[in-house]
Every structure is written in C-alpha cells, then in structure tokens.
Amino acid sequence: MSGAQPKGLPVINMSFNELPFGPSPAVSAAIDAVTTKANFYGNPSCQALREEIGQCNGLDPEAIVCGNGSEELLDVIARNFVRYDDEIVISEFGYIQFAIIANRLAARLVKVPEIEFTTDVEGLLSAITAKTKLVFLANPNNPTATMMPEKDVVQLAEKMPKDVVLVIDLAYGEFTGFDYCARVHDLVRRFENVVVARTFSKAYGLAGLRVGWCHAPDWMIPRLYAARGMGSVNAVAQAAALVSLREPDLVNARIAQIIAERDRVASELSELGLSCLPSQTNFMLTMLADGDPEQAEALVAHLFDDAGIVVNRTREKGLERYIRFSLSLPEHNTALVQSVKRFLR
Ligand SMILES: *Cc1c(COP(=O)(O)O)cnc(C)c1O
C-alpha cells in the first residue's frame, strides 16, 4: 500500500480521520507569525490557549491541561493511576490508543463486549474489579463511528466507583454537537473521578500540529502537569489552536459540510448494497453486502490501485469484514463511491 500508485494517480489518504480542509488564512497567518519567533520557548502551561478554551467552552482555565495531542494526555492520565498488573477497562471496539497505553504500562486490558457495535454501559460497570484503576471511553468511538446514548454516559459516571478514574474521550464530540460536549464537561464538575479529553486534530483540522486538552477535577491538575513534558505543546501549535477557536463559524460550516457528505456517501453506498454503521463522526465503518473479510481486503487494494484512495482496515477481531474511511472533499468522496462501483462490476 505504501508503494507507488500503479496508474500514477495522486494518493488520497482517507484512512486517518483527518479533516480535508487546510488551515484558514487567519490560522496560517498565526503560524507564520510564530515561526519568525522560533528562538523563543512557547508558554509551558499554554496560558493564553487555556484561557481561550475556557472562554469558548464555559470552563475554568485552571481546570484545563493542554498536551501534545490528546494522545499525550491519555497517556499522562494513565501513568498517574495505573501500575503494572492493574486493570484498564474499555469497550470491545474501543480506540486503539487505549490498548497501546495499557501495553506500555504492562497493565491488563479488559474488553467489554459491545451490543450492536455500541458500548454496553452495564457491561462496563460489571467488568470493574478491585484491580481496575481506569475506564477509557471514546464517545463517539473510533473505529466504529457509533455513539452510546448520552444518558448512558451520565449513568456510567454516576455509577462508577469513585476510586476508579473515568476518561471520556470526545475526539469526535464536535461532530455530535458542542451542546453534547458541554453536557459531558458538566460531569467533570459533578464527579471527582471524571476527566474529559478533547483534541484540535479532528474538527479543528490541526492534526499535524499536535494539540489536545483535557478538563479534569482540581485535585488531579498538579498530578497531570507532573507527568507531562514541560514544553510538550510547541509555540506554533499553541498559536494556531488559539486562533482556530476564534473562528467558530468556519469550524461549524466545515462540520456541516462533512456531515452532509456523510449522509450523501452513506446513501450512495447503501444503494450499492454496502452497509454503514450509523456514524456520529467524520468517518464511516462500512461493509460489503456479502460481508466477506477477503472481499474487504480486495476492496482496500482495489481502491488504491484504481483510484489512489487509501482506506483503513482494522483487521480487529469482530471487525474483519469492515473498512473504515474518513469523509473527505466531495470530489474525493465521489471518487471513492465510483471506485466501489467499478469494484462491484
Ligand atoms: C483521533 C483521535 C484522537 C486524537 O488524537 P490526537 O493525539 O489529539 O491527535 C483521540 N481519540 C480518538 C478516539 C481519536 O480517534
């Protein structure tokens, strides 16, 4: 797949859940301005960025910690609470980073079976034991793109033992709505053991700059800084993220365009006999009518050879029949549908 495209076509990567739109002129200008001052350190605690995040989300800036992507923060949280042989509980098809983090810490990863590709809240709760230190939940989730109902998230927070930390990863929360995100942040205020993680990599389109943030209870904040690299969010990333928060209309318009494309592509694929899991994100998990893993593999190869399109196949147990792709520009999405059509012929 990493080799040259056989027809010499440009490669369209639809496998990383990235936004297809580049930085706005204002964000680009902020990036350029900081690069001319690259001799200076960025602010170690991301003060201005935290204040802007706080203002935009109605949160106390002191309750926010920024990191080198939310990836760093998920790791920092886990390193704080999980030791060798402790348990981390996740949903069956939970985000791959959760497993990677558990592996790094030599912790036991406990996977709770899903119901129709959606997290089972009762199952998660009953999987918690005396050895459980952390529950990771991405909602909406990657790679399934599905979401468990908000009331279940609330119920999970309410019923969780208070000595187990619940991390709610809202990497795709903006695609479900800023109101939803705000209500999840309320859980951090209500419960001393709940942390919410957010990112600038998806809806804000700054994946390459590596900025994420988390909203945590007061007692946890110093511990998170202690485990985080001092200058982990560089000055360019801080400036770009800050300016991106000042363009909510642009961000909302981009989200709306992605959602419109998601609906269009889902219906066109379903006309071709493919089924897509209901997506609450900027990507989809889809399956051919025959649901054959070998055909899924063949489709991945065909999309690249035929159209230069790179999609993802998790090969994860239980998801072997699916491919995952991110919604891109309309012309790229159309190219994908057309190429699927040729595959089926
Ligand atoms: C993409 C993604 C992230 C974001 O990771 P960053 O390190 O912030 O780029 C976090 N969680 C999930 C579930 C994701 O899919």
Side-chain angles (χ1 to χ4, degrees):
M1 195 65 64
S2 54
Q5 208 285 332
K7 296 181 184 170
L9 294 170
V11 172
I12 306 166
N13 186 352
M14 294 169 73
S15 73
F16 288 162
N17 302 349
E18 297 153 328
L19 207 68
F21 315 111
S24 72
V27 170
S28 285
I31 291 170
D32 291 347
V34 180
T35 55
T36 66
K37 299 181 195 161
N39 50 315
F40 298 119
Y41 283 113
N43 183 287
S45 84
C46 304
Q47 177 136 10
L49 175 58
R50 283 188 297 106
E51 282 167 10
E52 194 74 27
I53 292 169
Q55 189 158 26
C56 294
N57 292 275
L59 303 173
D60 175 4
E62 299 304 314
I64 292 165
V65 179
C66 297
N68 193 256
S70 51
E71 178 187 7
E72 182 189 28
L73 296 166
L74 299 174
D75 185 71
V76 159
I77 296 162
R79 277 192 281 126
N80 247 291
F81 299 107
V82 182
R83 295 289 172 267
Y84 167 76
D85 213 35
D86 286 341
E87 290 170 357
I88 297 177
V89 172
I90 69 169
S91 197
E92 183 177 8
F93 302 121
Y95 182 39
I96 187 73
Q97 279 287 346
F98 303 156
I100 291 169
I101 289 168
N103 191 41
R104 253 178 223 150
L105 294 169
R108 289 172 192 270
L109 188 69
V110 178
K111 290 188 173 190
V112 177
E114 300 199 351
I115 300 172
E116 289 176 23
F117 300 102
T118 308
T119 302
D120 170 17
V121 65
E122 288 303 332
L124 271 190
L125 286 165
S126 59
I128 293 172
T129 72
K131 300 200 85 171
T132 307
K133 296 290 158 51
L134 198 62
V135 174
F136 274 130
L137 172 76
N139 198 51
N141 182 48
N142 173 16
T144 51
T146 58
M147 185 172 170
M148 88 190 206
E150 188 180 327
K151 67 168 178 33
D152 287 2
V153 180
V154 174
Q155 199 186 42
L156 180 63
E158 284 172 346
K159 292 190 179 169
M160 278 272 294
K162 299 302 172 245
D163 58 347
V164 178
V165 173
L166 170 63
V167 179
I168 306 172
D169 179 349
L170 291 184
Y172 303 97
E174 295 87 357
F175 294 97
T176 290
F178 286 88
D179 298 356
Y180 163 71
C181 294
R183 291 191 298 271
V184 176
H185 283 290
D186 283 341
L187 297 173
V188 180
R189 295 202 187 87
R190 276 180 68 195
F191 301 103
E192 289 284 292
N193 60 331
V194 176
V195 187
V196 170
R198 303 277 297 269
T199 183
F200 285 93
S201 297
K202 304 290 157 58
Y204 289 91
L206 297 177
L209 290 178
R210 314 303 303 125
V211 205
W213 56 280
C214 70
H215 173 211
D218 292 345
W219 66 272
M220 211 185 278
I221 299 288
R223 297 185 56 164
L224 299 182
Y225 278 115
R228 195 204 69 161
M230 180 76 92
S232 69
V233 188
N234 72 70
V236 175
Q238 291 189 35
L242 189 151
V243 172
S244 75
L245 288 168
R246 294 189 176 151
E247 300 186 295
D249 293 346
L250 178 82
V251 173
N252 283 319
R254 289 172 161 193
I255 291 170
Q257 183 178 341
I258 293 289
I259 291 175
E261 281 296 292
R262 186 177 76 200
D263 295 345
R264 173 178 79 90
V265 171
S267 88
E268 291 181 7
L269 290 179
S270 92
E271 278 169 29
L272 297 176
L274 280 74
S275 55
C276 302
L277 294 188
S279 170
Q280 296 290 331
T281 66
N282 65 331
F283 65 92
M284 289 201 285
L285 202 67
T286 185
M287 182 174 78
L288 291 161
D290 59 14
D292 176 353
E294 274 173 35
Q295 284 296 95
E297 195 80 55
L299 176 58
V300 172
H302 164 87
L303 287 169
F304 183 72
D305 294 348
D306 177 58
I309 294 173
V310 181
V311 299
N312 176 283
R313 192 162 164 253
T314 73
R315 294 185 186 82
E316 201 175 314
K317 193 170 174 300
L319 297 179
E320 302 93 336
R321 302 177 303 158
Y322 287 88
I323 66 168
R324 192 196 70 191
F325 65 92
S326 25
L327 280 314
S328 184
L329 300 173
E331 58 267 35
H332 295 162
N333 300 332
T334 299
L336 179 134
V337 174
Q338 293 304 324
S339 185
V340 169
K341 237 180 237 176
R342 287 190 289 274
F343 177 80
L344 294 171
R345 246 183 241 142

